Amino acid sequence: MNTSGSTKSLAPIRSRVDAVQTVLERNGLDTDSFIDTFNDLAVEQWLPRNGARLIARAWVNEEFKELLLQDGIAAAKSMGFNFPAHHRYFVVLENSEKVHNVICCTLCSCTAFSIIGLPPDWYKDLEYRARVVRESRTVLQEMGLDLPKETEIKVWDTTTDTRYMVMPQRPPNTMGWSEEKLSNLVTKEAMIGVAVL
Ligand code: FE
């Protein structure tokens, strides 16, 4: 987008990427290895499976659930998960019969990506970001989640330093299931709050 008001056209994207890369490398930053490392983290380590394991443990272990709700970072670290330094707070939002939580990032696309995975494309869409805060019930319905009228919907707007994860209600008829088996039920959509289990 040209915000200067002039009609001068931009250089092609490839030349602009090359220019940025040249400056970064001139300043001692190795862009190729950064991209490899980032890809490895995104594909191998930042998986929704991490959040699913936290939630399954909270369902079966009341003490762990209290820790998870009070200090998400400490709970996640106790299971070996990590956060980038700028994720200073990891806040877990517990769903109940009365309250359903849903998260968004009105500014861009922030998530607790090391725990719930990178955001889906629709999460980054202006339409989701703008509408979920104003007409959350309708947006959830459009996404296939029709909540009872009595259920209050709370929308949480992610910031750079505060990341959220929704803890869905444990599905009925799962008494006695192992933590492992329970964790297989938890989806990224449920941890964002646009689906239930
Ligand atoms: Fe964002």
Side-chain angles (χ1 to χ4, degrees):
M1 187 165 45
N2 188 333
T3 53
S4 68
S6 90
T7 53
K8 209 169 91 181
S9 61
L10 287 169
I13 183 77
R14 188 67 249 170
S15 331
R16 282 184 280 150
V17 170
D18 288 347
V20 170
Q21 194 165 355
T22 305
V23 172
L24 291 172
E25 279 164 8
R26 203 180 286 155
N27 284 280
L29 298 165
D30 181 350
T31 52
D32 285 337
S33 77
F34 176 83
I35 291 167
D36 288 345
T37 306
F38 187 89
N39 278 341
D40 174 65
L41 286 168
V43 175
E44 308 284 339
Q45 294 184 44
W46 295 339
L47 302 171
R49 179 93 198 118
N50 302 341
R53 287 182 54 209
L54 291 173
I55 289 163
R57 181 156 300 178
W59 282 340
V60 300
N61 180 331
E62 197 58 38
E63 208 177 311
F64 183 78
K65 178 177 157 184
E66 266 175 50
L67 177 64
L68 185 64
L69 295 174
Q70 273 168 25
D71 185 345
I73 299 257
K77 286 191 171 174
S78 78
M79 284 183 72
F81 303 126
N82 273 302
F83 298 84
H86 66 286
H87 292 194
R88 292 176 57 214
Y89 306 100
F90 173 54
V91 179
V92 179
L93 310 158
E94 185 185 16
N95 280 351
S96 67
E97 292 297 328
K98 286 185 179 151
V99 177
H100 179 91
N101 299 286
V102 58
I103 63 178
C104 67
C105 177
T106 53
L107 278 180
C108 45
S109 59
C110 304
T111 56
F113 51 76
S114 62
I115 303 296
I116 72 170
L118 292 173
D121 286 343
W122 54 259
Y123 184 90
K124 301 184 247 182
D125 268 2
L126 185 57
E127 173 157 350
Y128 175 76
R129 287 153 45 205
R131 290 183 59 224
V132 76
V133 289
R134 287 191 317 224
E135 39 178 352
S136 42
R137 196 171 294 273
T138 309
V139 170
L140 293 179
Q141 272 166 356
E142 288 168 5
M143 297 178 85
L145 178 57
D146 200 359
L147 293 165
K149 276 199 301 291
E150 314 76 66
T151 304
E152 180 191 358
I153 300 173
K154 286 189 180 170
V155 183
W156 302 77
D157 190 5
T158 308
T159 61
T160 303
D161 62 2
T162 302
R163 310 286 166 139
Y164 299 105
M165 176 176 80
V166 175
M167 183 162 106
Q169 286 184 275
R170 180 172 171 165
N173 309 317
T174 56
M175 276 296 279
W177 284 31
S178 71
E179 215 177 294
E180 170 79 15
K181 193 173 172 189
L182 285 166
S183 70
N184 290 331
L185 299 174
V186 183
T187 61
K188 186 190 283 193
E189 286 71 25
M191 292 185 282
I192 294 175
V194 297
V196 293
L197 303 174

